[in-house]
Amino acid sequence: MEKLMIAGGRPLRGTVQISGAKNSAIALLPAAILAETEVILDNLPQLSDVAVYTHILEELGAKVEWSDNQIKIDPSDIKSIPMPNGPVKKLRASYYMMGALLGRFGEAVIGLPGGCNFEPRPIDQHIKGFEALGATVTNEHGAIHLHAKRLRGARIYLDVSSVGATINIMLAAARAEGATVIENAAKEPEIIDVATLLNAMGASIKGAGTETIRIEGVKEMHGCRHSIIPDRIQAGTYMIAAAATRGDVLIDNVIPKHLEALTAKLIEMGVQVEELDESIRVIGADSYGHVDVKALVYPGFPTDLQSPMTSLLTQCKGVSVLSDFVYSNRFKHVPELARMGAKIRVEGRSAVIEGGPLNAAKVSASDLRAGAALVIAGLTVPEGVTEVTGVEYIDRGYDHLVTNLRSLGADVWRQTE
Ligand code: EPU
C-alpha cells in the first residue's frame, strides 16, 4: 500500500504547469468511438483513469498509441462488445461508453459505473435521454443493456443539469436521425470541449456552454486532431494550496475565466490573485478573513473544489460556512480533517468551519478530492509528518502531484508499506 507523506509548513513557491482536464479526457476518449478514422488528442493528462479508459477502448478493438501527452485512437475496427464487468467497473465515466456505443452501433452492454463513491450518483437522466432518442434500456444484473434499431432526434429536458447526462446525450445524438435539443443542459467548460471535438469530427452541435444545446444528427463522422482544455480543478487545487501555505505560485496553462468563482472567493478572504492571459498568480497573506462558499453548477463555485476549499477555510479567522448544492453529502474529508485538529461540523448540506491550526496525523482519502483536501491540510502543518492513505484515488485526477509539489518546495514523498 502506498502512502503520501507530507512534512508541511513550507510556503509553496514557483511555477506549476497544469495538464489537460481529466473530466474532458474521459469523455473525449469514448467520443472517438463515433469516428470512422483516427482521432488524435493532445494535452492528454497522465492519469490512472485515462489508462483504464485506454484499456477499455483496446478491448473493444481500437488501435491505441499513447506517448506522453498525446494519444492516437484508430477506431476503425471497434465493435460493440458487451462489457458487463471488468475495467468499466473501475471508473465512473465508463457511462460515456453507453452514449458512444449506442450512437455508433445502436447497442451496448455496460456494467454500472464505479469511481469515486462519495454518495449515490444516479444516472436516471442519462437513461431518460437515451430512451427519448428511441433506445430500449434495461438493467440486467447490474449491467445496462441499450438497444435501438434507429436513433431519432428528440427534445430532452434534464431535471438536473447533469454534466454526464448532457455529454452522454450529445454522444448518442451526434449520429441520430434529425434534430435533438437538450434543455437545462449543463454548462461546464468540459461540455464545450466535447462539443468542439465532436464538431471537428463532423457533428453539428450548437449552443454547448449554454442551457440549450441543439444537435443536428449526421450520417458519418471522421477523425481529427484536438487539444484538451486545461484542468480547471487541478489548477484550482494548486491555487488553494498556494493560499493555504501562504506561498507565491504561478499556475500556468489555465483558462483564468474557468476559475473566476474561486478567484473571487480567494480575493474576498484576502489572498492576492493576478489573472494573466494563460496563467494565474496566487500570493498568500499572513491572515485571512472567513468567507461563505456555495458550490453550484458552472459558473458557480465547483463542487470538485469544495473539499480542498474546506482545508483552506480552516486557515481563516472566524467561522466559514461551505455548502454544496450539487452533492448533498460530499463531506467524507471532514472526519479526516477532524483527526488533524480541524473544528468542523456538518449540518445538512453545509460544513461549518471554525478556523484554527491543524496538526499532523494519519488520515485516509476516500475519494479524489477528499485526498486533495488532506494533502493541502498536511502542507499547512509545520511540525510532524502527515500520512495520507488512499493514494490510488488521488492518482485518478492529479497528474504528477508529488513532482509538482516538490518543485514548488514542498517536502512530500510517496512511501510504500
Ligand atoms: N444526477 C442525477 N441524475 C443523473 C445524473 C446526475 O440526479 O442522471 C445528480 C447527481 O447525483 C448530482 C448532480 O446531478 O447531485 C450533478 O451530477 P453530474 O451528473 O453533473 O455529475 P457527473 O457527470 O456524474 C461530473 C464529474 C464530477 C463532478 C460533477 C459535477 C466526470 C466523470 N465527473 O460528474 O467530477 O463532480 O460532474 O461537476 O466528469 C471529480 O472530478 O472529482 C468528480 C467527481
Side-chain angles (χ1 to χ4, degrees), residues 61-144:
K63 287 186 210 75
V64 178
E65 275 177 52
W66 180 9
S67 58
D68 298 327
N69 297 106
Q70 188 189 70
I71 194 164
K72 295 180 178 171
I73 305 156
D74 177 354
S76 44
D77 291 333
I78 282 188
K79 291 188 179 56
S80 187
I81 297 166
M83 292 193 153
N85 291 303
V88 290
K89 293 276 189 191
K90 288 195 192 156
L91 82 174
R92 170 99 188 134
S94 53
Y95 53 40
Y96 292 135
M97 302 300 295
M98 299 178 194
L101 289 172
L102 186 65
R104 169 98 189 260
F105 301 104
E107 60 183 1
V109 177
I110 302 293
L112 275 170
C116 284
N117 278 323
F118 40 81
E119 70 168 48
R121 294 166 73 190
I123 57 165
D124 56 300
Q125 298 302 303
H126 306 230
I127 290 169
K128 168 175 145 171
F130 299 144
E131 287 177 338
L133 295 172
T136 309
V137 186
T138 52
N139 178 349
E140 293 174 29
H141 313 293
I144 301 293

Side-chain angles (χ1 to χ4, degrees), residues 22-23 95 122-125 162-164 304 326-327 330 369:
K22 167 188 91 93
N23 287 345
Y95 53 40
I123 57 165
D124 56 300
Q125 298 302 303
S162 150
V163 174
D304 294 340
V326 179
Y327 295 109
R330 195 178 193 177
R369 309 304 171 188

Side-chain angles (χ1 to χ4, degrees), residues 168-408:
N168 234 339
I169 295 168
M170 289 198 311
L171 294 173
R175 290 179 66 159
E177 284 171 29
T180 295
V181 180
I182 310 174
E183 310 262 26
N184 196 27
K187 296 186 281 224
E188 272 66 3
E190 292 73 22
I191 288 160
I192 304 180
D193 206 24
V194 175
T196 306
L197 173 81
L198 292 174
N199 283 340
M201 286 163 57
S204 170
I205 301 176
K206 293 193 177 123
T210 75
E211 60 198 26
T212 305
I213 300 180
R214 291 168 206 282
I215 305 148
E216 201 61 55
V218 295
K219 284 215 168 68
E220 271 193 14
M221 290 171 68
H222 49 76
C224 69
R225 187 167 175 176
H226 174 85
S227 183
I228 301 173
I229 58 168
D231 194 313
R232 64 195 167 98
I233 306 301
Q234 197 189 117
T237 304
Y238 285 107
M239 289 170 71
I240 292 170
T245 60
R246 278 118 180 135
D248 180 349
V249 178
L250 186 75
I251 293 117
D252 199 20
N253 184 34
V254 296
I255 299 173
K257 187 153 182 52
H258 290 172
L259 287 146
E260 273 180 340
L262 172 63
T263 297
K265 247 334 129 181
L266 292 180
I267 292 171
E268 188 184 329
M269 59 192 269
V271 181
Q272 195 182 326
V273 185
E274 291 169 15
E275 287 185 6
L276 305 154
D277 283 349
E278 291 182 2
S279 53
I280 299 178
R281 185 172 170 196
V282 176
I283 305 166
D286 286 342
S287 85
Y288 301 127
H290 59 93
V291 291
D292 292 342
V293 179
K294 293 181 176 63
L296 294 161
V297 295
Y298 188 83
F301 189 95
T303 171
D304 294 340
L305 289 176
Q306 181 259 98
S307 324
M309 192 67 177
T310 310
S311 298
L312 174 56
L313 294 179
T314 65
Q315 305 300 302
C316 297
K317 283 210 174 99
V319 177
S320 302
V321 179
L322 191 159
S323 311
D324 193 328
F325 293 102
V326 179
Y327 295 109
S328 58
N329 195 18
R330 195 178 193 177
F331 291 117
K332 287 197 174 157
H333 52 292
V334 168
E336 300 303 307
L337 288 174
R339 283 178 204 273
M340 299 179 71
K343 294 189 191 112
I344 309 178
R345 62 174 197 280
V346 174
E347 289 180 5
R349 304 190 83 116
S350 303
V352 182
I353 304 146
E354 196 184 324
L358 302 177
N359 49 258
K362 293 184 180 184
V363 287
S364 169
S366 54
D367 67 73
L368 166 58
R369 309 304 171 188
L374 298 174
V375 172
I376 292 169
L379 289 171
T380 69
V381 179
E383 275 167 33
V385 176
T386 296
E387 298 186 19
V388 183
T389 54
V391 180
E392 64 280 10
Y393 289 108
I394 301 175
D395 289 340
R396 305 178 74 127
Y398 291 96
D399 192 331
H400 295 110
L401 179 71
V402 169
T403 318
N404 286 344
L405 288 175
R406 290 178 72 90
S407 78
L408 295 173

